[in-house]
Amino acid sequence: MHDLYNILGVRKGASDADVKKAYRTLAKKLHPDTNKDDKRVTERFKEVTAAYNILGDKSLRDKYDRGEIDADGNQQSAFDAAAQNARNQRASAHRARSKNPFDFEEAEDIFSDFFNFGGFKKKRGNTKKSETKQKTNPYKEAGRRKGLDINYTVTVGFEESITGGTRRLKLNDGRTIDIKIPEGIQDGQVVRLSGQGGPSIAGGEKGDALVEVHVSDHTYYKRDGLDIHLELPISLDEAVLGGDIEVPTPKGRLTIRVPRNSSSGKRLRLKGKGVKKRDQLGNMYVSLKVMLPKTRDLELEKALKNWKGGNGSDLRKKSGLT
């Protein structure tokens, strides 16, 4: 029978934190993703995971220490549990037998009374042999509890986070599966894949795969809840004269109309062109940014000198800045 403490490399009296730390260290070292095509490492990883399934659970660990369940999480009989505790306490049944011989029925009574296990029931005051009755295992379901969840991460582009998509993920057991990236997913959101996690002990359900999705930053898109923001450069003539211009969106290009005499900072709303998440739909906001040519334009300079409305001091005065 394997010793679960030896499997994790900790002493029997180790703290819960030490047990957890030992498991994480081994799981990281033995993870199949870092030891591809090594079946021995994969089996060792499963063994370590199964050991932590018991030692990482306070209730199951206590039962294992008392001998009520074995290393596979299966119930041991009351007599076996008592015998294991007796060995742990250095109370050898053989030694007791050599001093005070007794039959098997007496051994059952001693172990049951001394260790308070209740697996055997003796009829008091009856000279006949005691009848035995095996109780139902109260830890049967606990021994078959769900396996550990295993964490993964994937990174998607900004547009894919808005439109949704499919990504191929390699699991720790070597299998690859396609996962659906939901439309409108946010950075840090977790996709749960039921039954794709770690194995359970004693026939329980497998754990889940928890896939944390990271969304890459975009050059010009910014997201705020369900809304998308875009700063759009426009030329001076487009700002003054207005007109139809094309703008990019995560779902394709659209044509919008810039009003005449649009200043930098003017914001245009594209209704319903933001993030769709279930029955909710955000907007896209386009902020105009007037850009002057990088090189001097003498004709433009001449026109502005003759322009009667070009009084910046009046504009600042009206804005309360002077």
Side-chain angles (χ1 to χ4, degrees):
M1 182 66 68
H2 298 299
D3 182 87
L4 301 185
Y5 291 99
N6 287 339
I7 291 174
L8 292 183
V10 296
R11 57 185 176 82
K12 185 174 182 180
S15 67
D16 293 340
D18 287 341
V19 171
K20 187 174 184 178
K21 181 179 179 181
Y23 167 71
R24 286 184 171 179
T25 300
L26 289 172
K28 183 177 181 180
K29 178 181 178 182
L30 300 171
H31 199 285
D33 282 352
T34 58
N35 298 274
K36 296 180 180 180
D37 302 324
D38 193 328
K39 294 183 178 180
R40 289 180 299 177
V41 173
T42 299
E43 291 303 315
R44 172 70 172 143
F45 177 77
K46 292 179 180 179
E47 185 181 45
V48 166
T49 300
Y52 184 68
N53 278 346
I54 292 179
L55 298 187
D57 183 296
K58 188 178 186 306
S59 176
L60 291 179
R61 181 180 178 182
D62 289 343
K63 307 314 169 190
Y64 175 73
D65 289 345
R66 291 198 296 266
E68 295 179 23
I69 58 175
D70 61 19
D72 293 322
N74 300 317
Q75 180 199 16
Q76 296 195 102
S77 69
F79 184 77
D80 289 339
Q84 182 171 324
N85 262 334
R87 288 193 296 271
N88 292 341
Q89 298 296 326
R90 298 180 180 177
S92 171
H94 291 293
R95 184 179 302 171
R97 194 169 185 174
S98 65
K99 293 181 180 180
N100 298 294
F102 51 85
D103 63 15
F104 185 75
E105 296 297 332
E106 293 171 335
E108 291 178 351
D109 292 341
I110 290 175
F111 281 123
S112 178
D113 292 343
F114 183 74
F115 294 102
N116 195 26
F117 274 103
F120 300 95
K121 182 177 179 182
K122 179 180 179 181
K123 292 183 179 180
R124 301 295 180 181
N126 193 338
T127 57
K128 294 183 179 180
K129 289 187 176 181
S130 302
E131 296 181 3
T132 62
K133 181 180 180 181
Q134 185 71 38
K135 286 189 175 182
T136 302
N137 180 12
Y139 307 107
K140 182 177 181 180
E141 295 303 320
R144 294 183 179 179
R145 69 190 183 104
K146 188 177 178 180
L148 288 179
D149 295 337
I150 299 179
N151 298 311
Y152 300 89
T153 59
V154 296
T155 300
V156 301
F158 186 91
E159 288 94 341
E160 188 176 0
S161 74
I162 304 301
T163 61
T166 302
R167 281 299 181 98
R168 180 153 292 183
L169 178 69
K170 185 172 184 179
L171 302 177
N172 70 328
D173 58 6
R175 293 182 297 120
T176 57
I177 60 173
D178 291 331
I179 64 172
K180 183 178 179 180
I181 304 299
E183 185 178 22
I185 196 166
Q186 290 181 287
D187 183 64
Q189 192 171 334
V190 174
V191 176
R192 180 182 292 272
L193 306 177
S194 299
Q196 301 296 339
S200 178
I201 57 175
E205 294 181 2
K206 293 186 66 176
D208 300 333
L210 305 179
V211 185
E212 183 175 353
V213 179
H214 296 292
V215 180
S216 300
D217 292 332
H218 199 275
T219 306
Y220 43 83
Y221 294 128
K222 299 294 181 185
R223 177 173 175 175
D224 182 13
L226 297 181
D227 296 329
I228 300 173
H229 294 266
L230 168 68
E231 188 176 67
L232 182 68
I234 62 173
S235 63
L236 182 61
D237 61 313
E238 288 174 327
V240 174
L241 302 176
D244 293 339
I245 60 175
E246 271 196 345
V247 297
T249 76
K251 296 183 179 181
R253 302 185 73 83
L254 291 176
T255 299
I256 65 171
R257 173 156 294 183
V258 176
R260 291 177 181 270
N261 296 327
S262 292
S263 302
S264 278
K266 182 176 180 62
R267 193 168 72 163
L268 307 177
R269 185 181 72 156
L270 307 183
K271 186 177 180 180
K273 299 303 180 182
V275 181
K276 182 180 180 182
K277 195 170 185 180
R278 292 185 286 275
D279 58 344
Q280 296 179 299
L281 186 60
N283 302 314
M284 183 169 177
Y285 293 93
V286 179
S287 297
L288 303 179
K289 183 178 181 181
V290 179
M291 304 290 291
L292 295 177
K294 292 183 179 181
T295 59
R296 291 184 63 181
D297 187 323
L298 297 179
E299 187 177 349
L300 176 60
E301 290 180 8
K302 183 178 179 180
L304 290 174
K305 286 179 181 179
N306 297 325
W307 181 40
K308 302 300 183 181
N311 194 331
S313 61
D314 287 345
L315 293 174
R316 289 185 287 276
K317 187 174 182 179
K318 290 179 181 179
S319 300
L321 298 175
T322 58

